Amino acid sequence: MKHLLKMNDLTREELDHILDVAVRLKAAQKAGGTPPLLAGKSVALMFSKTSTRTRTSFEVGVFQLGGLGSYMNAATELQASRGEPLRDTARVLGRYYDCIVWRTYRQRDLEELAEYAGVPVINGLTDYAHPCQVLADLMTIREQRGPLEGQKLCFVGDGNNMANSLIVGGLLAGMRVTCVCPPAYRPAADVLLFAQRYGAAFELLHDPAAGVRDADVVVTAVWNNAGGDEAERRMRDFQGYQLTAPLLARARPGCMVLHCLPAHRGEEISNEVFEAHAGEIFTEAENRLHVQKAVLAILLAGQ
Ligand code: CP
């Protein structure tokens, strides 16, 4: 593994290895601390968009591994925000830092950064993918529900970066994956092509009640980040897509519910369902820390 730009870049073996290292590092942290695997290493933490979990979990994770993490607000503080070409920023940061984490808008910009940086690049979320989040989701499912193979994961919501990454990650891990989204909010075409290789293990549906049937894990994410007319349109388009107790009654009894956060209670998830599954959801958030430490340890310290 040279970078972590999207789930499609990983092999099954690399995915399993990341999760195994994450479990080991989590146990070590709980037992007193992780070894200083990043001693003398520095990680650029570039954020062109707001973040709570991704920013803080990377900052704390790099610190716990004995390295230096430098947060930079790429939207207002870097010369890139005043027009310096991305490839120049990449070549400069690559000479100072051992790794770059970037949260940005377009996947193709992230790919360009990786092409020019000369050091490993990690996707902190783009329009196409959110691999760190999905690795944490898979870690949480495996930790709480056992081996991933054969479990049914159902994503209900917008066919966006989370859907793209869950479909690929879940199928790669041997899960059965159902994606339920309104017809106008389908996952990326290349992700659907990837999913075709898995035959009946993947379903794309538009009816949440049919999708969650017998699911072991139901996942959702915000589908209404817009304002004005777009927000009103989304509220109409996603009618019936809220995770509610009656909807989840169709899933397997005791099913797990995950949400990458932040949550809009009353939109994609009811307050009742959110609070009933808060233990799982906040363990999922915690596991961002452990799984990202694993990715860093693999990329930078040969774990
Ligand atoms: N889930 C997630 O990526 O959270 P943040 O937007 O707070 O980083």
Side-chain angles (χ1 to χ4, degrees):
M1 182 168 80
K2 196 168 158 206
H3 304 284
L4 178 62
L5 304 179
K6 53 188 186 297
M7 293 302 290
N8 326 33
D9 292 340
L10 296 176
T11 63
R12 170 70 192 266
E13 290 69 31
E14 288 170 330
L15 172 60
D16 287 345
H17 183 56
I18 292 169
L19 300 185
D20 291 344
V21 174
V23 168
R24 186 154 45 82
L25 292 179
K26 182 173 183 175
Q29 193 61 41
K30 301 279 181 197
T34 32
L37 297 169
L38 296 193
K41 308 259 187 196
S42 52
V43 181
L45 305 174
M46 268 172 67
F47 283 77
S48 302
K49 302 176 73 179
T50 53
S51 166
T52 297
R53 280 144 288 271
T54 306
R55 172 189 173 168
T56 53
S57 56
F58 267 111
E59 281 184 329
V60 171
V62 173
F63 172 76
Q64 289 179 351
L65 288 168
L68 169 77
S70 306
Y71 169 77
M72 46 199 86
N73 181 336
T76 58
E77 290 171 1
L78 296 185
Q79 298 290 10
S81 66
R82 301 172 65 227
E84 183 167 18
L86 178 58
R87 58 189 62 184
D88 294 357
T89 303
R91 284 178 284 192
V92 170
L93 294 181
R95 297 212 179 196
Y96 302 151
Y97 291 94
D98 298 288
C99 177
I100 303 172
V101 177
W102 192 20
R103 167 167 290 198
T104 189
Y105 295 88
R106 299 185 306 188
Q107 179 75 15
R108 67 172 174 273
D109 290 341
L110 184 83
E111 307 263 353
E112 183 179 338
L113 184 90
E115 188 184 336
Y116 283 90
V119 295
V121 170
I122 298 174
N123 183 342
L125 179 142
T126 64
D127 57 355
Y128 174 78
H130 200 359
C132 291
Q133 181 64 56
V134 166
L135 289 170
D137 294 3
L138 296 175
M139 178 182 177
T140 309
I141 299 165
R142 201 176 83 165
E143 184 178 59
Q144 300 207 354
R145 302 294 169 115
L148 299 170
E149 285 84 1
Q151 292 201 51
K152 176 176 172 179
L153 182 154
C154 175
F155 176 79
V156 180
D158 193 347
N160 61 9
N161 44 19
M162 274 302 296
N164 291 337
S165 299
L166 275 168
I167 292 168
V168 176
L171 291 172
L172 207 52
M175 301 182 84
R176 294 176 290 131
V177 178
T178 299
C179 177
V180 189
C181 59
Y185 298 84
R186 288 159 63 90
D190 69 308
V191 168
L192 295 177
L193 261 181
F194 173 94
Q196 267 182 15
R197 285 190 236 154
Y198 291 81
F202 176 71
E203 285 181 310
L204 178 65
L205 302 176
H206 305 301
D207 175 6
V212 302
R213 191 174 301 132
D214 296 329
D216 298 287
V217 187
V218 180
V219 187
T220 191
V222 162
W223 39 249
N224 196 6
N225 268 330
D229 291 348
E230 166 81 3
E232 283 176 27
R233 184 162 57 79
R234 282 178 168 261
M235 290 299 280
R236 280 195 304 275
D237 291 347
F238 283 90
Q239 251 182 31
Y241 279 75
Q242 184 179 119
L243 297 193
T244 60
L247 180 66
L248 290 175
R250 295 168 180 271
R252 199 174 284 278
C255 81
M256 187 173 200
V257 173
L258 296 178
H259 191 306
C260 60
L261 303 173
H264 289 184
R265 292 166 170 83
E267 292 187 1
E268 74 278 1
I269 190 166
S270 70
N271 186 58
E272 180 190 9
V273 169
F274 184 92
E275 292 302 336
H277 292 274
E280 292 159 356
I281 291 169
F282 289 103
T283 297
E284 175 191 11
E286 178 191 337
N287 283 341
R288 291 291 304 274
L289 172 67
H290 306 298
V291 92
Q292 289 161 194
K293 284 168 70 177
V295 171
L296 289 166
I298 291 166
L299 287 173
L300 302 182
Q303 290 297 292

